[in-house]
Amino acid sequence: MADPSSSPRMTRTLSGLPAPLALRCHNSVTPPPASDVLSSTFVDGVANRFGFGEEEQEIRNCLHDYVQIGSGLSKPFLASQVFHMAFQYRVMKNMFQASNHGTQKLQSMFNDIYLRLEDNFSLTKDQESIIRVVVQDHLFHPSCVFFNLAHVEVEKTLRESQEHCQLVHIFKNPNRERILLSAIKTQCRVSKNALRELLRDSVIGDNTSTLDDFCHVVANRFKRGGAGFGVGVIERARIAILRRFTHENQHLVNVLPLEDERSATPGPTRSRAGTPRPDSRTGTPSTDSTETTTRPPKRRRTDGYTGGRPQKGHDYWSAVDSWFKAKLLDWGSSWSTPQWQEYINATLQWDATQFAPEEQEIIYMAGAN
């Protein structure tokens, strides 16, 4: 019986591999003849043919490495592969350069559009609404006692909450910050005028209101969330202080009723077109036309006011700021000091007495049991 180990199928080398596989492995590492090796001169020539310079030195090195790895392949096949790889590298480079050029042109166009939009930048409706809410809520807050500096505090609040207020793209851009600050100042001026008129009408004239009713109105107009969240004790006290200051300084906010300027010799009437209608017979302005209107009477102010804005530092809110500044120096910066508590209690008592609610007579229906 033949020895199994002598069979060609069972013959194994010292490495444990079958003999045919070991032979193939042995042949794969056998260096080919020098005549079958593709020269580096040929590789460099192909690289130069496709214009590989210093920037493509890495590609040139890859071609040389490929030749070394494929040293067992035939020279024609290896040469065609080197040429094909170089061609693919060149095609990819041309595509990249074309894409990069297009990207640069697109980026340049975006930059031009950005600069043009920057010149015409404006706040969105949502941003303007957010600014208005923040401004009005600040004016309602009891910590606001310097109203002419409200824009500074509002800008600080918006900067700290820029992500929630949709203002991230505005800050750190000087031009946009300038536009934002201008919008804040405008909204502060509008809101302060509205609050001043509400204060004036609540304590002066025929339509005055109680403190509680006025707090409800102001909270609905200014407080974030409205009056549904209630009006705090300190908020109510500061509103009472503003009402008392307004009542004691009526010359800053008081407006006389409309004055009827129609005298015994009325001025010429005007047609709907805005010009006197001439009489067809005499050529003089007609006064009996049914399509004519009279000029509206003018509004007059007290204390020698002749029109235009008041001088800087002599307006209503400047007077309010000066009053609070003096009291803060004398009584302290906390509402809980004895001086502030005494003044607040006296103000609440004055307000309740001065603007007590009117008693309403209950009228019963006739015939009711």
Side-chain angles (χ1 to χ4, degrees):
M1 184 176 180
D3 186 4
S5 61
S6 62
S7 175
R9 294 179 177 271
M10 303 300 295
T11 302
R12 296 182 178 271
T13 62
L14 295 177
S15 61
L17 295 175
L21 182 57
L23 180 60
R24 289 196 299 270
C25 293
H26 176 73
N27 292 337
S28 64
V29 297
T30 302
S35 59
D36 293 337
V37 177
L38 198 63
S39 65
S40 60
T41 304
F42 175 81
V43 177
D44 291 333
V46 173
N48 295 334
R49 167 69 176 77
F50 288 99
F52 296 158
E54 294 295 333
E55 296 180 357
E56 293 83 11
Q57 186 62 38
E58 184 177 356
I59 299 177
R60 186 187 295 265
N61 294 336
C62 289
L63 294 177
H64 283 285
D65 293 340
Y66 180 76
V67 171
Q68 295 297 326
I69 295 173
S71 57
L73 302 175
S74 64
K75 290 178 63 176
F77 178 78
L78 193 58
S80 64
Q81 291 298 312
V82 169
F83 190 90
H84 179 72
M85 290 178 60
F87 176 77
Q88 292 294 329
Y89 280 132
R90 170 50 59 186
V91 171
M92 293 175 61
K93 181 179 179 181
N94 292 341
M95 293 176 60
F96 175 77
Q97 289 177 345
S99 176
N100 189 35
H101 179 67
T103 303
Q104 291 178 352
K105 291 181 62 176
L106 187 62
Q107 183 65 39
S108 178
M109 182 180 65
F110 282 153
N111 291 337
D112 292 340
I113 295 175
Y114 175 81
L115 292 176
R116 291 180 180 273
L117 291 177
E118 192 69 19
D119 293 337
N120 300 320
F121 173 78
S122 60
L123 298 173
T124 64
K125 295 296 183 181
D126 287 343
Q127 291 170 338
E128 292 177 350
S129 178
I130 291 173
I131 293 173
R132 182 176 65 255
V133 171
V134 175
V135 168
Q136 293 177 346
D137 187 68
H138 174 74
L139 295 178
F140 184 83
H141 200 273
S143 63
C144 177
V145 292
F146 297 115
F147 292 85
N148 285 338
L149 297 178
H151 63 281
V152 178
E153 296 298 327
V154 170
E155 193 271 342
K156 180 180 178 181
T157 301
L158 293 176
R159 184 180 294 274
E160 294 174 350
S161 305
Q162 54 183 278
E163 183 175 354
H164 300 288
C165 295
Q166 305 176 13
L167 301 173
V168 176
H169 66 291
I170 293 180
F171 288 100
K172 297 183 180 180
N173 185 311
N175 181 55
R176 295 184 178 184
E177 287 184 1
R178 177 183 59 82
I179 295 175
L180 175 64
L181 183 59
S182 177
I184 293 174
K185 289 182 178 180
T186 300
Q187 187 57 54
C188 285
R189 182 171 62 252
V190 172
S191 298
K192 287 191 300 183
N193 284 336
L195 179 58
R196 175 181 57 83
E197 292 176 357
L198 287 175
L199 288 167
R200 177 198 65 196
D201 296 339
S202 69
V203 296
I204 302 173
D206 298 332
N207 297 319
T208 59
S209 59
T210 64
L211 177 59
D212 291 334
D213 291 342
F214 182 70
C215 287
H216 183 81
V217 172
V218 175
N220 278 330
R221 286 280 301 272
F222 287 83
K223 187 176 183 180
R224 187 174 181 179
F229 291 90
V231 179
V233 176
I234 302 301
E235 295 171 339
R236 185 172 182 270
R238 195 203 60 151
I239 291 176
I241 293 174
L242 291 176
R243 278 163 57 92
R244 179 176 178 179
F245 179 88
T246 304
H247 189 270
E248 294 174 352
N249 297 271
Q250 298 186 22
H251 62 282
L252 295 174
V253 294
N254 190 25
V255 179
L256 288 179
L258 295 177
E259 181 184 63
D260 190 357
E261 291 188 349
R262 287 176 294 182
S263 60
T265 56
T269 58
R270 295 184 178 271
S271 65
R272 290 182 179 178
T275 57
R277 302 188 68 179
D279 187 84
S280 59
R281 293 170 297 178
T282 62
T284 59
S286 174
T287 59
D288 57 353
S289 175
T290 58
E291 298 183 357
T292 58
T293 58
T294 58
R295 293 180 180 178
K298 296 182 179 180
R299 184 179 294 272
R300 298 285 179 153
R301 294 181 180 269
T302 60
D303 197 32
Y305 184 79
T306 59
R309 293 183 178 180
Q311 296 181 358
K312 185 176 182 180
H314 294 80
D315 60 290
Y316 172 80
W317 290 115
S318 295
V320 172
D321 290 358
S322 299
W323 186 89
F324 272 110
K325 182 179 181 180
K327 298 305 180 183
L328 288 174
L329 291 176
D330 294 340
W331 299 345
S333 58
S334 175
W335 296 108
S336 60
T337 60
Q339 296 88 341
W340 275 116
Q341 287 295 310
E342 180 181 357
Y343 182 80
I344 290 174
N345 292 332
T347 300
L348 293 175
Q349 182 63 36
W350 168 86
D351 197 296
T353 304
Q354 186 75 20
F355 304 101
E358 298 180 357
E359 295 183 0
Q360 297 182 355
E361 181 181 359
I362 301 177
I363 302 177
Y364 293 94
M365 295 180 63
N369 295 328

